[in-house]
Amino acid sequence: MADLTTNVAIDNHLTTADGKPLKAALAAAQARNKRRAFFLVLPLLAFILITFIVPIGQMLMRSIDSPGFILQTDVITKEETPLMVNLGLWFKDNPQGTEPDEAAYTALVSDLIALKKTRAQGQAGTRINYELAGSRSLFTSGARKAAKLKPPYKEAMIKLNKKWENPKLWQVMRSASSRYTGSFYLAAVDRTRDANGDIVRVEENRRVYVNLFVRTLRLSLLITFLTFILAYPVAHLLATLPMRKSNMLMILVLLPFWTSLLVRTTSWMILLQSQGVLNDAMVGLGLLDDANRIQLMYNEFGTVIAMTHILLPFMILPLYSVMRPINPSYVRAARSLGATSWTAFRRIYFPQTVPGIGAGALLVFILSVGYYITPALVGGADGTLISNLIAFHMLSSLNWSLAAALASLLLGGILILYWLYDRLVGIDNLKLG
Amino acid sequence: MANIDADAAFVEFDRVQKSYDGEVLVVKDLNLKISKGEFVTMLGPSGSGKTTCLMMLAGFETATHGDILLNGVSINNIPPHKRGIGMVFQSYALFPHMTVGENLSFPLEVRGMVKSEREEKVKRALDMVQMGDFLSRRPAQLSGGQQQRIALARSLVFEPQLVLMDEPLGALDKQLREQMQFEIKRISDDLGITVVYVTHDQTEALTMSDRVAVFEDGRIQQLAPPNDLYERPDNSFVAQFIGENNKLSGTIKSMDGDIVAVELANGKTMQALAVNVGAVGAKTLVSIRPERITVGSNDGPNATEAQVLELIYLGDHIRCRLNVHGDEEFVVKVPNSAGHQHLVVGETTNVSWDPRDARALDPL
């Protein structure tokens, strides 16, 4: 007993038999195992770093780093040539809101001539075009004709194209002449800077992204709810049936999982289109007039139906894994204690499945927020989600910075929801299987 | 001891049969009457139908045929939550997401009891099992024995007349199990409740029960108080299942009142009490308890030679395996008392037993 007390008192200075500090000895004994464990996970770590962390970092960078107006990078030599140097100096000397004077136009013309030499007029124009449509051609034609212009350059330029006078253009050029910009994030929430540099909403007919974010959120919540309603009884059935039967049913749940996503989506197209199986059946049964076939696809309805079906297993499996180990004697105990079957379900069974509901809902919600193929195929104009627009900017408009900004906002939103979930339900209550 | 009277039966199984698949009867023609305040144990090997009987009584299984009566009323069509029967499960079935207090107050809540009354009853029930300090703990924070006590308190908190216990001590270690046996017995006596207890542990059945129903193959083989069951088994199954037992098989040669002469396989004859035998010439199995055999005695009609094959020292007694009448599994317990006979492996000695301690039963 006395020994024990002394030991506790000098807890920090315990030593091994030969006088080494105990902690150091323990660390040395475990070091070898730790090294081996580390080498085992090293390939995975490298894989994640290269294929996940680095691309995400690049994406995040690209959404704020857009040097197209001030730097030209040679594709092969990686050599960087500064562009629009004179205009950049003018912007530095004159604060926001200064009326462009002759000096400004002189700088612009000299820069345009330089652009022509390095053949960078397209690149610089594109960067301006992101924020002010129609600017690319202005730059290409401007660069072509700049060498022939005579002073005073202000008059000459405006004569060449009246757009050069546009204060908005000058505002955009000013913002583009610094390498890092938040303007893509502004664009991603339907905001822009006016000629004075104040943040304003874009014209009504160009407000797309906020609506799409809201729709994505709304549809994802709806799909999550629908999968929950459909999956709960199925998971319960799977968990309570005898093993042999439940395995059979489980195959039915997993079968769509093993089928290509594209095949599943196109089969929904076959079912839902206006000349499709469902409409034909309803017309055949006389429920529907041939002339008034219902539009089941290329709208929100189609997106919701197809995605609910496709994401259903992601809800069933976590629910099943939580329900399977719930001992039937809990409900029996509740019943014997006087609870009706509904009370026993509500007070005893359901609370024990909450971790599964949380996991399934989080899984389905996060998947559907970023879903691409299905809304692209069956969504039409009303049923597309934000990911479709991100893809559009990646593949068609080639405005990668905007795509990156949209994707970053999406990522941020999901992280916030994840944080909220952790605060409300607790992440340790999550059970994926 | 409760008096068994047809009219006073509190719980009654009346020709109850049960089949799960329509091919095999799990319970075959069960008739059982339990009077108020009685502690009845259903004892039997696994698969003998005892748990099924309990589940039918609780209402989780329906009887395929026959009636189950509670207080003279058929409860076949009453759902479990209206039967008012307390139940303790082998897995305890304490609700993991509720505290001990919430677990106990659950049956009172669903009965619409007001909060103050609930709290008082919960406290009283917890004190009864000496767990008053554990009100706000979660089941996962309790040891097995503590969970068992809470499960017991929960089954009693709403003051049921009848409590069913399905192997409630199966998951506990030996010492705790013995302690809980006494506790359950004490509480059930104090409250005067009727208990139907299911177990496969014969010691548990013998120590706790007023009466024990030995189940085998869907039937009650014998329903009797513990001492009768041990000392006067009705048939070979009960004799074998309860306690240790020496078996000698033979043929009935003659009958004289309730004493029969049995001719054994080696041609020798012995006398036994006729309990469950056929006519002269029928096969029988004679059962003798190891502690009823006297070693070194040459008296009585059943004295015979025995060769010592094995000795096992067990402290309070010595277990001797002998060859008696050609049976090499014949076991005798020699008490380790002052001046007891010291046997040596390989020696030949004499053993004898009273004809009334040798029970001639049905052949296996």
Side-chain angles (χ1 to χ4, degrees):
Chain A
M1 200 58 209
D3 269 340
L4 203 72
T5 358
T6 0
N7 266 349
V8 172
I10 53 158
D11 199 20
N12 299 330
H13 312 291
L14 282 178
T15 53
T16 56
D18 58 355
K20 257 170 90 182
L22 195 58
K23 275 190 178 153
L26 185 68
Q30 288 178 341
R32 196 180 135 79
N33 276 338
K34 279 187 179 160
R35 258 202 313 279
R36 275 169 51 175
F38 180 73
F39 280 124
L40 277 175
V41 294
L42 197 59
L44 179 70
L45 222 57
F47 180 79
I48 287 179
L49 195 73
I50 293 166
T51 61
F52 191 69
I53 311 267
V54 171
I56 284 189
Q58 274 187 340
M59 181 198 78
L60 287 172
M61 266 320 275
R62 196 180 280 278
S63 66
I64 52 165
D65 173 23
S66 185
F69 194 61
I70 51 167
L71 270 186
Q72 186 189 28
T73 309
D74 193 288
V75 182
I76 298 154
T77 60
K78 300 285 172 207
E79 196 186 329
E80 291 185 342
T81 323
L83 305 172
M84 311 302 280
V85 185
N86 299 319
L87 198 60
L89 285 173
W90 187 84
F91 282 132
K92 202 174 278 174
D93 294 339
N94 296 280
Q96 176 105 32
T98 316
E99 184 78 17
D101 52 11
E102 180 61 22
Y105 279 94
T106 312
L108 175 63
V109 169
S110 64
D111 284 339
L112 283 173
I113 294 169
L115 277 185
K116 176 118 197 288
K117 275 187 197 137
T118 53
R119 300 182 180 211
Q121 67 270 47
Q123 174 202 327
T126 306
R127 170 66 186 84
I128 302 303
N129 200 59
Y130 286 154
E131 292 178 57
L132 189 66
S135 304
R136 192 175 187 277
S137 59
L138 190 68
F139 270 78
T140 49
S141 73
R144 199 164 57 243
K145 295 170 187 162
K148 293 178 201 146
L149 290 179
K150 301 224 157 45
Y153 286 117
K154 181 169 182 177
E155 233 166 86
M157 287 289 284
I158 292 168
K159 202 176 159 201
L160 198 64
N161 192 329
K162 240 184 120 36
K163 282 183 186 169
W164 284 114
E165 187 175 38
N166 186 357
K168 170 80 181 163
L169 172 71
W170 283 87
Q171 195 280 320
V172 171
M173 285 200 294
R174 179 186 284 275
S175 100
S177 54
S178 63
R179 178 165 183 165
Y180 299 104
T181 172
S183 54
F184 294 108
Y185 281 97
L186 284 180
V189 291
D190 292 340
R191 298 291 193 281
T192 185
R193 283 181 191 277
D194 64 7
N196 299 322
D198 296 326
I199 295 168
V200 291
R201 298 187 71 178
V202 296
E203 305 97 86
E204 191 127 11
N205 57 349
R206 306 188 66 185
R207 291 176 193 164
V208 218
Y209 305 113
V210 171
N211 284 343
L212 259 177
F213 272 120
V214 171
R215 181 198 290 165
T216 304
L217 199 68
R218 184 166 50 82
L219 290 191
S220 300
L221 285 174
L222 178 66
I223 289 162
T224 309
F225 179 72
L226 287 177
T227 50
F228 164 66
I229 292 290
L230 292 174
Y232 203 90
V234 176
H236 179 74
L237 191 70
L238 285 172
T240 45
L241 277 180
M243 215 43 173
R244 220 167 54 89
K245 280 184 189 165
S246 87
N247 280 345
M248 277 261 294
L249 282 182
M250 189 53 108
I251 287 174
L252 293 183
V253 171
L254 291 176
L255 207 59
F257 234 20
W258 302 330
T259 321
S260 154
L261 181 60
L262 212 55
V263 172
R264 277 182 283 164
T265 307
T266 39
S267 31
W268 273 111
M269 295 172 76
I270 292 166
L271 277 170
L272 295 177
Q273 59 188 292
S274 45
Q275 300 299 321
V277 177
L278 260 176
N279 266 313
D280 280 354
M282 283 195 282
V283 170
L285 288 169
L287 293 171
L288 216 61
D289 192 30
D290 198 19
N292 311 321
R293 286 170 177 259
I294 309 175
Q295 185 70 35
L296 296 167
M297 209 172 70
Y298 302 128
N299 52 21
E300 279 185 13
F301 182 80
T303 304
V304 169
I305 275 233
M307 277 177 67
T308 301
H309 167 249
I310 286 162
L311 294 175
L312 201 53
F314 292 100
M315 186 64 98
I316 294 179
L317 294 177
L319 279 177
Y320 169 78
S321 80
V322 168
M323 286 174 178
R324 184 98 225 174
I326 294 180
N327 195 325
S329 65
Y330 287 128
V331 170
R332 288 184 163 183
R335 299 274 279 143
S336 81
L337 293 171
T340 59
S341 44
W342 166 243
T343 310
F345 170 77
R346 192 173 51 86
R347 297 275 314 270
I348 306 304
Y349 191 78
F350 185 79
Q352 294 188 57
T353 61
V354 165
I357 299 173
L362 211 61
L363 212 65
V364 170
F365 182 79
I366 288 177
L367 279 174
S368 55
V369 158
Y371 228 66
Y372 166 66
I373 292 186
T374 308
L377 288 178
V378 300
D382 291 346
T384 45
L385 302 180
I386 196 72
S387 52
N388 300 107
L389 221 68
I390 295 175
F392 167 78
H393 284 305
M394 292 295 291
L395 304 170
S396 305
S397 80
L398 300 183
N399 189 352
W400 287 8
S401 292
L402 182 56
L406 287 168
S408 304
L409 283 180
L410 197 60
L411 181 66
I414 288 174
L415 288 178
I416 287 173
L417 282 168
Y418 193 73
W419 175 78
L420 267 178
Y421 178 89
D422 185 31
R423 290 296 302 273
L424 296 176
V425 186
I427 224 67
D428 38 333
N429 269 334
L430 202 71
K431 199 156 178 256
L432 286 170
Chain B
M1 184 86 39
N3 244 338
I4 309 306
D5 178 23
D7 297 324
F10 180 53
V11 178
E12 184 176 355
F13 286 85
D14 183 21
R15 282 168 297 148
V16 171
Q17 293 182 311
K18 171 72 182 173
S19 171
Y20 285 106
D21 52 6
E23 287 167 19
V24 182
L25 277 176
V26 184
V27 176
K28 302 168 182 164
D29 192 33
L30 178 76
N31 293 288
L32 176 61
K33 285 174 185 171
I34 299 167
S35 44
K36 217 173 176 108
E38 203 178 7
F39 196 121
V40 171
T41 297
M42 295 177 172
L43 174 68
S46 49
S48 60
K50 55 191 195 306
T51 298
T52 304
C53 287
L54 201 71
M55 289 300 163
M56 285 193 287
L57 186 52
F60 301 126
E61 301 288 352
T62 46
T64 312
H65 174 80
D67 268 338
I68 300 171
L69 301 134
L70 185 64
N71 245 341
V73 181
S74 168
I75 54 170
N76 285 16
N77 293 318
I78 297 178
H81 66 278
K82 288 189 179 151
R83 296 192 180 190
I85 298 174
M87 183 145 185
V88 182
F89 293 83
Q90 183 174 13
S91 58
Y92 314 139
L94 293 177
F95 308 137
H97 57 293
M98 295 182 178
T99 64
V100 165
E102 286 163 347
N103 261 288
L104 261 75
S105 118
F106 181 80
L108 308 176
E109 261 172 69
V110 297
R111 285 175 169 74
M113 208 172 273
V114 293
K115 195 166 182 239
S116 54
E117 201 177 344
R118 284 204 313 255
E119 279 170 356
E120 194 205 311
K121 290 205 173 197
V122 168
K123 192 178 174 304
R124 211 186 313 146
L126 279 180
D127 286 343
M128 187 172 64
V129 293
Q130 288 130 42
M131 294 286 289
D133 299 337
F134 294 81
L135 191 76
S136 50
R137 297 273 192 99
R138 297 239 169 211
Q141 297 168 309
L142 303 177
S143 71
Q146 289 170 332
Q147 291 189 37
Q148 177 54 59
R149 282 162 191 267
I150 299 301
L152 184 65
R154 190 180 63 177
S155 73
L156 297 170
V157 71
F158 61 101
E159 292 163 8
Q161 293 294 300
L162 174 62
V163 176
L164 312 181
M165 302 192 186
D166 183 12
E167 309 213 13
L169 307 181
L172 301 182
D173 60 59
K174 189 169 176 288
Q175 209 176 353
L176 206 53
R177 200 159 59 214
E178 282 166 7
Q179 193 189 335
M180 283 305 293
Q181 286 169 12
F182 285 115
E183 197 124 342
I184 291 175
K185 183 71 182 143
R186 175 181 65 78
I187 290 171
S188 81
D189 285 347
D190 285 355
L191 298 177
I193 48 172
T194 311
V195 178
V196 179
Y197 193 99
V198 162
T199 184
H200 62 262
D201 180 342
Q202 41 148 320
T203 327
E204 213 166 281
L206 295 181
T207 48
M208 299 174 79
S209 324
D210 294 330
R211 285 193 298 160
V212 179
V214 180
F215 272 69
E216 160 67 0
D217 195 25
R219 282 181 209 281
I220 294 182
Q221 301 290 336
Q222 187 172 359
L223 173 65
N227 55 336
D228 275 5
L229 208 60
Y230 185 79
E231 288 163 25
R232 288 181 282 281
D234 276 352
N235 56 40
S236 309
F237 176 80
V238 176
Q240 263 205 135
F241 193 72
I242 311 277
E244 221 176 348
N245 167 47
N246 291 308
K247 295 163 287 183
L248 296 171
S249 50
T251 318
I252 297 169
K253 233 176 125 191
S254 67
M255 277 193 187
D256 176 17
D258 55 357
I259 299 291
V260 288
V262 177
E263 188 182 307
L264 300 168
N266 62 353
K268 300 221 169 111
T269 307
M270 65 171 281
Q271 288 186 10
L273 183 73
V275 177
N276 187 4
V277 289
V280 172
K283 291 260 179 213
T284 183
L285 189 94
V286 181
S287 149
I288 314 144
R289 295 289 182 197
E291 65 273 15
R292 292 297 173 101
I293 294 158
T294 324
V295 179
S297 154
N298 225 342
D299 307 331
N302 287 336
T304 178
E305 277 186 353
Q307 193 190 6
V308 180
L309 297 175
E310 193 182 5
L311 294 170
I312 298 172
Y313 182 77
L314 286 167
D316 60 338
H317 71 268
I318 295 146
R319 215 177 115 94
C320 316
R321 190 161 65 82
L322 311 172
N323 182 346
V324 175
H325 291 307
D327 175 16
E328 295 197 343
E329 299 295 328
F330 200 94
V331 171
V332 176
K333 286 179 183 167
V334 180
N336 196 357
S337 52
H340 76 90
Q341 182 156 10
H342 289 273
L343 297 172
V344 183
V345 173
E347 79 169 301
T348 304
T349 180
N350 287 313
V351 291
S352 97
W353 56 86
D354 192 292
R356 300 218 154 255
D357 287 332
R359 297 172 66 81
L361 306 168
D362 54 320
L364 269 184

